[in-house]
Amino acid sequence: MRQPDNYKRLIEEILTLKNDKNYMILAHNYIIPELQDISDFTGDSLQIAKWATKINNDNILFLGVDFMAETLKILNPEKNIIVPTKNSTCPMANSLTPEIIKEYKDKYPDAPVVLYVNSTAECKALADYTCTSSNAVEIVNKIDSDTILFGPDKNLGRFVAEKTGKKVVVIPGETGYCYVHNRFSVEDVKKAREKYPDAKIMIHPEAPEEIRSLCDYTGSTGQMMKFPEFEEADEYVVGTEIGMIHKLSKTFKDKKFYPLKEDAICNNMKKNYLKNVYFSLLNEEHKITLPDWLIEKAKIPILNMFKLMEV
Ligand code: SF4
């Protein structure tokens, strides 16, 4: 098997394979810059899945983690979706299981289940609605119930409770969090304020409440992409995975972006790299497959979310 031996050549080989085999490359915002630069579309998981429904191309190489590839498949079941590795997963999504959801449903039989899109297809199949970090507050506000079962991110759940005033029961509870965002500390914010006194600090709602309260703006990656457009500040500290720095810097060329924490790195996102992307296209592997029943069931809460967004 041929093995491209240098970086530039590897990129050329990837682009040649992509064109010859007629693939589109879709990448999450947290993917390494080199791969963002050769992707046809970058965004958050839901933006990617929705974008894919609008393209004619049947072959997609997706760069992200497994629950995102599943969502892409659920919304585009007829498309051929491949990923460079099946080992790129999300510990937060995996912290919630169908058994835990059933347990809580027994305790709160009248409470609708709202799951963050960062959840497995099996869990989505048991939910009433999904939400993203951009629309979680809006979705929960629009649901006609004062008590909501919400998972798997406890920090996003608490953010939603704070903004909606509803009783939000977080499932699975203390063990549901993103290890990248949950690690931001008060010390990180203090240091950033000292180092960049004129900068606005943006933070993701997956970060703990005590950190959010010290920052200037709380928003999803999609919302962070819009925030600098309407602000006069020239500098921003970015409290999310460091992959966002590349995208923000490319979009707002006259502004400066600094990570809140240099090592805010999602190791699973970084399991997508040039060499396995090359082999993925070469061998057209690894295909995402889900049973039809699961696609049908998991699609319902996603479509319910879309419907609520239109109201
Ligand atoms: S950044 Fe956090 S939530 Fe996103 S895939 Fe990585 S571990 Fe999961």
Side-chain angles (χ1 to χ4, degrees):
M1 198 177 278
R2 270 177 326 140
Q3 293 221 12
D5 48 10
N6 68 48
Y7 178 86
K8 204 170 156 242
R9 164 117 181 271
L10 193 47
I11 290 181
E12 283 166 8
E13 294 269 3
I14 289 171
L15 292 174
T16 303
L17 280 172
K18 173 184 172 323
N19 288 336
D20 290 353
K21 299 194 176 203
N22 196 24
Y23 270 79
M24 289 209 121
I25 302 181
L26 312 188
H28 190 269
N29 292 324
Y30 296 163
I31 290 300
I32 56 169
E34 299 88 315
L35 286 173
Q36 288 191 33
D37 288 346
I38 57 165
S39 297
D40 295 288
F41 184 82
T42 56
D44 64 32
S45 59
L46 206 73
Q47 284 172 332
I48 290 169
K50 279 176 87 176
W51 193 79
T53 62
K54 295 185 187 124
I55 55 171
N56 289 327
N57 203 305
D58 285 339
N59 298 315
I60 292 172
L61 169 66
F62 173 67
L63 310 178
V65 297
D66 54 5
F67 76 81
M68 298 175 178
E70 285 179 354
T71 307
L72 191 51
K73 186 70 183 174
I74 291 164
L75 289 178
N76 301 274
E78 72 299 338
K79 290 192 161 75
N80 167 40
I81 296 164
I82 61 170
V83 291
T85 170
K86 284 230 168 167
N87 293 328
S88 176
T89 191
C90 170
M92 177 170 77
N94 299 336
S95 69
L96 187 62
T97 63
E99 291 69 34
I100 297 173
I101 298 176
K102 284 178 193 155
E103 229 175 81
Y104 275 87
K105 274 183 155 195
D106 286 345
K107 277 192 225 161
Y108 298 88
D110 299 326
V113 177
V114 180
L115 290 191
Y116 191 18
V117 283
N118 299 29
S119 52
T120 65
E122 285 79 5
C123 286
K124 285 189 180 80
L126 293 173
D128 297 297
Y129 301 88
T130 58
C131 70
T132 66
S133 45
S134 311
N135 68 17
V137 171
E138 186 181 348
I139 293 292
V140 170
N141 255 331
K142 285 181 173 173
I143 295 173
D144 187 17
S145 173
D146 288 335
T147 305
I148 304 284
L149 294 178
F150 187 98
D153 186 13
K154 64 176 182 183
N155 293 322
L156 183 63
R158 284 168 192 159
F159 178 66
V160 168
E162 189 185 301
K163 297 285 171 195
T164 62
K166 294 195 181 189
K167 178 176 176 180
V168 176
V169 179
V170 287
I171 52 174
E174 286 308 308
T175 53
Y177 60 86
C178 164
Y179 70 93
V180 179
H181 294 93
N182 201 54
R183 279 182 56 228
F184 289 126
S185 66
V186 172
E187 198 52 30
D188 292 331
V189 181
K190 265 195 205 160
K191 276 190 196 156
R193 290 264 184 234
E194 276 164 29
K195 202 164 172 195
Y196 310 110
D198 299 325
K200 293 270 181 194
I201 304 186
M202 303 192 280
I203 191 84
H204 195 280
E206 286 176 17
E209 197 278 328
E210 65 271 24
I211 311 303
R212 279 192 281 110
S213 63
L214 300 174
C215 298
D216 300 305
Y217 178 71
T218 300
S220 65
T221 53
Q223 289 164 332
M224 284 184 189
M225 285 306 299
K226 292 186 190 132
F227 183 66
E229 204 177 320
F230 305 102
E231 286 293 313
E232 283 181 8
D234 293 326
E235 296 181 307
Y236 299 81
V237 173
V238 184
T240 188
E241 215 274 352
I242 56 162
M244 271 299 284
I245 301 285
H246 181 69
K247 190 162 176 183
L248 283 160
S249 308
K250 254 177 95 175
T251 308
F252 301 100
K253 293 200 166 57
D254 53 341
K255 302 198 175 204
K256 288 203 159 52
F257 299 91
Y258 313 105
L260 179 56
K261 211 178 183 67
E262 294 281 349
D263 62 350
I265 295 171
C266 175
N267 297 325
N268 279 287
M269 289 285 181
K270 276 33 178 187
K271 287 179 185 168
N272 298 274
Y273 43 88
L274 287 172
K275 214 161 194 175
N276 65 8
V277 165
Y278 168 79
F279 284 114
S280 182
L281 283 170
L282 183 70
N283 302 319
E284 297 192 65
E285 62 184 17
H286 307 271
K287 287 190 194 300
I288 299 297
T289 54
L290 291 173
D292 290 346
W293 72 265
L294 187 54
I295 290 180
E296 284 314 308
K297 282 198 139 189
K299 190 186 281 179
I300 295 169
I302 303 176
L303 297 183
N304 285 345
M305 169 182 71
F306 291 152
K307 270 187 226 148
L308 268 197
M309 291 298 290
E310 286 162 11
V311 177

